[in-house]
Structure formats: structure tokens, C-alpha cells
Amino acid sequence: QVQLVESGGGLVQAGGSLRLSCAASGRAFSSYTMGWFRQAPGKERDFVASITWSGGRQYYADSVKGRFTISRDNAKNTVYLQMNSLKAEDTAVYYCAASDLVGTMTSSQYNYWGQGTQVTVSS
């Protein structure tokens, strides 16, 4: 069992930056692919980024490539999402998730989810 708690969301102006954190507790954090997803009001939950257990590979949605960076610190059981050049369309609840499949970008393949953190970008 893995418990995930996100933090770092908030209100930011367009063009600004935020750094989300996801702290994990439970067993074997370092063995999981970690992902970030987001869900805007009235929309489906979308893939944002994922990172393999070693941190060696990262995957991004086209909409965030070049602006967002996912990273992890297995010693701290934490995964991060650095978000730069934020746009109004980035406004959503951001969720952290863990999967035992390598590098997956499919939400149904994630076993554990956090409660989410709200990111609001004002234009």
C-alpha cells in the first residue's frame, strides 16, 4: 500500500511558476513509476507527466513539453512537478499517482492516487 499526499498548489499569474510535491509513504516507493495527472472542471483526468522508478526516463504530454519538469528523490520518497510559463489552460486539480508498470501514461494503470492539489492560473 502506498499513500500519496500532494502539496504546492495555489494561485499564480499567467507566465508564473509553481512546484508541486508529492510525498509518499508505505512500501517500495522507489520501485514505482510516478505520474502526474490533472483534471479541469467538466473534463476528464489527463496525463501530464511520468517518471520511471530510477528517474532515468520522463514522459510528458505534448501540452506541457518544454514547460513542465518531473523529477523524483527516492531518498525522500518524493516526486516533484516544476511548472513554468503557466497558462490559464493549466488550471486544474493536479493528482499524483503510482504505478507498477514502467513509464505508463494511462490513468487506469495507476494503482495509487493522492487527493489532489488545486492549481489556478489567472490570465
Side-chain angles (χ1 to χ4, degrees), residues 2-123:
V2 176
Q3 293 79 42
L4 304 172
V5 179
E6 303 95 336
S7 61
L11 174 64
V12 64
Q13 289 187 334
S17 298
L18 281 175
R19 188 195 197 201
L20 305 183
S21 298
C22 173
S25 60
R27 63 180 185 89
F29 168 79
S30 60
S31 67
Y32 287 97
T33 286
M34 297 300 297
W36 287 96
F37 291 78
R38 67 186 182 186
Q39 188 168 20
K43 296 188 177 181
E44 295 183 350
R45 189 172 297 186
D46 291 331
F47 170 77
V48 175
S50 64
I51 187 167
T52 54
W53 67 272
S54 66
R57 291 188 179 180
Q58 303 89 41
Y59 303 87
Y60 296 95
D62 288 343
S63 58
V64 306
K65 280 181 182 177
R67 300 188 298 122
F68 291 11
T69 302
I70 189 171
S71 61
R72 68 190 295 164
D73 185 338
N74 287 340
K76 295 182 178 180
N77 282 7
T78 302
V79 62
Y80 305 97
L81 185 68
Q82 178 67 44
M83 305 186 295
N84 299 328
S85 302
L86 283 161
K87 306 175 181 179
E89 51 263 43
D90 295 318
T91 295
V93 177
Y94 283 71
Y95 297 90
C96 171
S99 173
D100 53 15
L101 297 179
V102 176
T104 179
M105 297 180 280
T106 304
S107 61
S108 62
Q109 294 178 338
Y110 281 78
N111 311 91
Y112 305 104
W113 292 84
Q115 293 300 306
T117 186
Q118 176 70 48
V119 171
T120 303
V121 184
S122 63
S123 56

